[in-house]
Amino acid sequence: MYTQSLSIPDGDAKGPRKVENPDYLAEFNAKIDAGSFIEPKDWMPEAYRKTLVRQISQHAHSEIVGMLPEGNWITRAPSLKRKAILLAKVQDEGGHGLYLYAAAETLGVSRDELTEALLSGKAKYSSIFNYPTLNWADIGVIGWLVDGAAIMNQIPLCKCSYGPYARAMVRVCKEESFHQRQGYDLLLHMMRGTDEQRAMVQDAVDRWWFPSIMMFGPHDKDSVHTDSARWGIKRISNDDLRQKFVDATVKQAEVLGVGLPDPDLKWNEARGHYDFGVIDWDEFWNVVGGHGQCNVDRLAARNKAWEDGAWVREAAIAHAEKMDKRERQVA
Amino acid sequence: MADDMTQTSVQTVAASAEHIEYVMRLGDNALILGQRLSEWCGHAPVIEEDLALANMALDLVGQARLLLTHAGNLEGKGRDEDQMAFLRVERDYRNVTMMEVPNEDFGRTTVRNFLYSAFQILLWQKLATSSDTELAAIAAKSLKEARYHFNHSAEWVIRLGDGTEVSHAKTQAALDYLWPYTAELFAANPTDEAVSAAGIGPAWGELEAEWEAMVLPVFVQATLVVPARTPFKTFGKFGRHSEHMGHLLAVMQHMQRTYPGAQW
Amino acid sequence: MERKEWPLWEVFIRSRNGLDHKHCGSVHAPDAKMALQMARDVYTRRLEGVSIWVVKASDIVASDPDAKPELFDPAEDKIYRHPTFYQLPDEVNHM
């Protein structure tokens, strides 16, 4: 059930769960070990709850901010069919953000609180969305590479230990598969077109390749959130997922006829995987740290939408209250 | 394109210029309003409404595709939906001016959706029995969509008008701004007369009374005041647009103009 | 003006006639009418439903997780309520 109001019926929804009781903890650990789900009303360690709130809300923020780079091209889409596809896709991302906020809300936080954290710059979102979309092929490459990487990351989450998150991810993944395919289809059409179109695709791939493989996060040896694995929130390691993604993508690039901008990318017979070049983690951390090309613009756009919409949200509440009052007077 | 043309050879009687113009007008209304609504994507007051606005934009883009394809077929010069949508000059777009004015804010966007969807419901109802069977089929599909747009925007008009002082003022300003543009919908013209006489569709002026009967009660409920009619006139449906149209087209046509002949 | 969040509504969808409404997620909406419309816009974009229920989340009464043993465990040993409890001869076992 996607609601924090169900948490505990005794009035203080957040209270009892915070008590660190060894019996409860043992029961919780047993459930995790058995691979069963934790549900909102169940007791959970505070650290588990906090980790989930952080991860789910970051994920939700990423979906919402992720509407902006692609939204940048909706009004300029080159055909009506592509306009409709892109609009539907960006709309889906809004929906995904919504499902995820709802999952986070079952943990005793409100969507408004989470939104505030995003708008103030306190909360993080996926740094991939701080790169600009510069030509139409970027729309295809985002679908193919960025959504492809996201799907790779997200499929294991459909089985994560927290029920509402897992259920939200099942819905997200179901919808997401069209995103990657439409991106690849868009690129196929461009690659079959003119030299100018092919050059656009190559330019876009050159810019998005490394940021895409950075989406899996730092190398396992440099990764900090180890509890996530123990708790069944993260089931496959960053490096394993990244390798899986690279292995799957090389073939797709070949079929497309586009080059990947990494001279060190080659098949390693012994490993049974593709080797790839050194990732520029300084760039990654710079963008995470707020110094990507679009960080400021993205947050400004979200803030503007939120502030411009305040009078609308307030009006709806005010009207609802008036209606309640009128109903009571009639009764 | 070749396939499309073979399919349309069933249309044995050549369509009149007025018939083509009439369908193009419907297609352009959907196209231009769809374009405006799609600007909202990612910028709405709440996520739920972001999805609602995108749904409406998708409905309109879908209508535009069907209608412009049909207009191209009637015309018989081999123009497909994209050539119609992206490769005409401003003078040849036939949407009413109200469709192209900027979104401004959620108030104006909502009031415009409301005013236009009410009109659409009446129009699609009539067109469902058009002697142009293709148009009748498009009308039957579009009618359902227009009904939802009307319900959704009507609910919002009521909430915004009757909400707070601020929302009331903004929504009243939106209505004051848009109302004069609605006159263009109903202005008599030879195209409408010819189309009406041929049993293809109603002259839009015939719909005015019914349209008022749909929108006025909602404005009363929303505590909004409908301004008096003024001599203000616009002529978008005859191809004389506002200053906003050129900018909208510059953005919308950008790719097709920059890469002539490319397939996407 | 004091800032207030739109209440949360739980959304239940009947995917086609003949099936139960099933919980599918939630939306924020200012009132019931809007909640229905928003549920439609959010949860039926891919022909997922033919009927929608919305319920204000705060109106849902839920069982206490701590009472799970007394609520649900007593059913555990009533295995005779399940058809598989009964071994019948093969000739009539489709019963």
Side-chain angles (χ1 to χ4, degrees):
Chain A
M1 214 29 95
Y2 285 4
T3 166
Q4 74 267 34
S5 57
L6 285 179
S7 305
I8 296 289
D10 69 358
D12 183 0
K14 295 181 201 170
R17 277 196 311 217
K18 287 188 180 162
V19 178
E20 299 287 331
N21 175 319
D23 292 344
Y24 286 170
L25 183 61
E27 198 185 321
F28 171 85
N29 284 333
K31 273 189 217 158
I32 295 282
D33 294 342
S36 70
F37 290 107
I38 306 298
E39 293 295 342
K41 301 172 292 155
D42 297 342
W43 184 90
M44 62 188 80
E46 182 58 11
Y48 175 81
R49 191 184 74 86
K50 278 192 172 153
T51 301
L52 279 171
V53 169
R54 192 192 68 233
Q55 184 175 329
I56 300 172
S57 63
Q58 277 182 13
H59 193 162
H61 298 329
S62 300
E63 297 282 357
I64 298 302
V65 176
M67 298 172 81
L68 299 171
E70 289 174 281
N72 181 37
W73 279 90
I74 291 173
T75 57
R76 289 178 292 169
S79 72
L80 291 181
K81 184 179 97 178
R82 292 287 172 203
K83 192 189 292 289
I85 293 171
L86 180 58
L87 192 49
K89 187 202 173 217
V90 179
Q91 180 197 41
D92 274 354
E93 278 153 17
H96 298 173
L98 193 155
Y99 311 153
L100 289 162
Y101 281 128
E105 284 176 274
T106 62
L107 293 159
V109 286
S110 71
R111 194 200 289 177
D112 276 6
E113 280 172 60
L114 299 174
T115 303
E116 294 292 334
L118 170 68
L119 298 181
S120 67
K122 216 176 82 193
K124 295 274 179 253
Y125 56 88
S126 177
S127 58
I128 194 78
F129 301 118
N130 290 318
Y131 290 86
T133 49
L134 302 181
N135 81 54
W136 173 251
D138 287 39
I139 298 307
V141 171
I142 287 178
W144 173 40
L145 296 181
V146 175
D147 291 325
I151 292 169
M152 205 69 89
N153 256 325
Q154 289 169 0
I155 285 175
L157 291 172
C158 296
K159 292 188 193 137
C160 81
S161 63
Y162 188 56
Y165 191 23
R167 289 192 288 277
M169 289 316 302
V170 168
R171 187 173 273 275
V172 168
C173 286
K174 231 189 253 171
E175 298 185 355
E176 195 82 35
S177 63
F178 124 69
H179 294 184
Q180 191 183 16
R181 293 174 69 93
Q182 67 80 32
Y184 197 79
D185 173 76
L186 185 162
L187 297 174
L188 273 176
H189 276 79
M190 288 184 76
M191 292 304 287
R192 290 178 195 144
T194 64
D195 287 345
E196 265 178 320
Q197 286 175 295
R198 278 185 287 277
M200 276 190 256
V201 175
Q202 189 60 60
D203 170 47
V205 171
D206 289 347
R207 282 180 287 109
W208 288 96
W209 171 250
F210 272 106
S212 298
I213 63 173
M214 288 180 199
M215 284 174 70
F216 297 94
H219 290 304
D220 298 339
K221 60 179 169 53
D222 308 317
S223 210
V224 277
H225 306 302
T226 47
D227 281 345
S228 291
R230 181 165 60 84
W231 284 330
I233 300 173
K234 183 163 182 53
R235 297 208 182 263
I236 306 180
S237 82
N238 291 354
D239 284 329
D240 288 352
L241 284 169
R242 185 172 8 247
Q243 185 68 59
K244 207 173 155 202
F245 175 74
V246 171
D247 290 347
T249 309
V250 172
K251 174 82 184 159
Q252 295 163 357
E254 273 170 28
V255 172
L256 208 50
V258 76
L260 295 173
D262 179 358
D264 298 324
L265 186 72
K266 47 179 149 320
W267 179 251
N268 181 327
E269 194 64 48
R271 289 203 309 128
H273 291 291
Y274 281 92
D275 289 336
F276 49 93
V278 178
I279 296 171
D280 182 357
W281 291 108
D282 286 344
E283 176 187 318
F284 176 77
W285 291 114
N286 282 341
V287 180
V288 171
H291 307 293
Q293 190 175 337
C294 299
N295 296 58
V296 173
D297 291 342
R298 299 289 185 242
L299 267 195
R302 285 314 309 155
N303 272 287
K304 183 173 186 319
W306 188 245
E307 284 157 22
D308 288 352
W311 68 272
V312 176
R313 297 189 300 273
E314 283 160 12
I317 283 284
H319 174 76
E321 283 171 354
K322 281 185 199 175
M323 293 302 282
D324 282 351
K325 216 191 228 167
R326 281 170 209 160
E327 240 172 62
R328 276 201 303 275
Q329 279 166 355
V330 172
Chain B
M1 229 179 329
D3 285 349
D4 290 350
M5 289 179 66
T6 349
Q7 275 165 17
T8 57
S9 58
V10 283
Q11 193 88 35
T12 43
V13 187
S16 68
E18 290 85 359
H19 185 176
I20 298 166
E21 166 119 359
Y22 191 86
V23 176
M24 208 185 272
R25 205 194 266 170
L26 294 168
D28 286 345
N29 279 351
L31 174 70
I32 302 303
L33 186 56
Q35 176 76 0
R36 281 296 187 218
L37 288 183
S38 74
E39 291 171 13
W40 273 102
C41 193
H43 306 278
V46 284
I47 311 173
E48 282 82 353
E49 193 55 30
D50 232 320
L51 270 69
L53 286 164
N55 274 341
M56 289 189 269
L58 282 168
D59 287 343
L60 289 164
V61 172
Q63 291 172 19
R65 294 183 67 187
L66 295 171
L67 289 159
L68 292 178
T69 298
H70 184 46
N73 289 344
L74 291 173
E75 184 190 58
K77 291 181 190 161
R79 292 202 282 181
D80 65 12
E81 61 182 46
D82 288 329
Q83 286 165 307
M84 296 293 269
F86 298 105
L87 294 174
R88 279 178 288 157
V89 295
E90 180 178 320
R91 251 328 198 142
D92 292 339
Y93 284 84
R94 290 291 183 258
N95 58 286
V96 293
T97 313
M98 185 167 77
M99 304 292 96
E100 75 211 32
V101 298
N103 291 330
E104 181 68 17
D105 62 9
F106 187 71
R108 189 193 286 176
T109 298
T110 300
V111 174
R112 173 167 56 193
N113 284 345
F114 174 67
L115 293 169
Y116 185 62
S117 58
F119 176 75
Q120 267 192 309
I121 288 176
L122 299 170
L123 191 57
W124 296 134
Q125 276 173 342
K126 292 267 190 323
L127 287 172
T129 57
S130 170
S131 61
D132 174 345
T133 51
E134 173 65 22
L135 184 57
I138 298 172
K141 172 193 176 288
S142 305
L143 175 60
K144 296 178 212 162
E145 296 168 346
R147 284 206 170 109
Y148 185 75
H149 300 185
F150 178 77
N151 291 342
H152 190 67
S153 56
E155 294 296 343
W156 265 121
V157 166
I158 292 164
R159 279 156 188 75
L160 298 179
D162 181 54
T164 63
E165 265 177 51
V166 174
S167 73
H168 179 84
K170 281 181 184 283
T171 314
Q172 183 64 54
L175 179 56
D176 291 346
Y177 180 86
L178 290 171
W179 188 257
Y181 284 93
T182 61
E184 185 186 334
L185 287 169
F186 307 106
N189 61 87
T191 300
D192 280 27
E193 278 166 38
V195 165
S196 169
I200 295 161
W204 292 7
E206 291 168 22
L207 307 174
E208 186 169 9
E210 268 185 280
W211 175 78
E212 286 198 349
M214 279 178 85
V215 300
L216 296 182
V218 174
F219 288 131
V220 170
Q221 215 184 327
T223 72
L224 296 169
V225 179
V226 174
R229 286 276 176 218
T230 66
F232 180 86
K233 278 197 182 70
T234 51
F235 305 95
K237 67 180 176 186
F238 309 114
R240 259 169 66 198
H241 291 277
S242 67
E243 289 184 350
H244 308 293
M245 187 65 170
H247 297 279
L248 182 149
L249 292 180
V251 172
M252 191 173 78
Q253 296 185 340
H254 162 70
M255 291 294 287
Q256 287 275 348
R257 295 290 186 198
T258 312
Y259 305 100
Q263 299 297 309
W264 304 96
Chain C
M1 183 174 169
E2 182 201 351
R3 308 207 28 221
K4 272 185 218 156
E5 188 165 6
W6 289 358
L8 194 67
W9 302 74
E10 298 304 328
V11 180
F12 300 81
I13 295 201
R14 183 200 294 290
S15 55
R16 57 188 161 83
N17 279 6
L19 296 180
D20 289 324
H21 284 78
K22 199 176 151 215
H23 182 250
C24 69
S26 30
V27 293
H28 283 276
D31 53 67
K33 247 186 201 172
M34 275 296 190
L36 267 181
Q37 295 198 350
M38 287 170 164
R40 177 264 188 195
D41 280 316
V42 172
Y43 290 104
T44 66
R45 303 196 306 284
R46 289 177 169 80
L47 299 169
E48 290 98 332
V50 294
S51 163
I52 304 176
W53 289 348
V54 291
V55 184
K56 215 178 207 177
S58 57
D59 286 344
I60 292 178
V61 182
S63 62
D64 178 352
D66 289 338
K68 232 188 238 166
E70 66 257 36
L71 287 177
F72 308 116
D73 291 355
E76 243 169 43
D77 64 351
K78 317 261 188 322
I79 47 174
Y80 46 79
R81 307 193 88 138
H82 298 279
T84 47
F85 178 73
Y86 305 93
Q87 297 287 318
L88 300 187
D90 282 351
E91 303 94 285
V92 294
N93 203 22
H94 60 273
M95 190 183 286

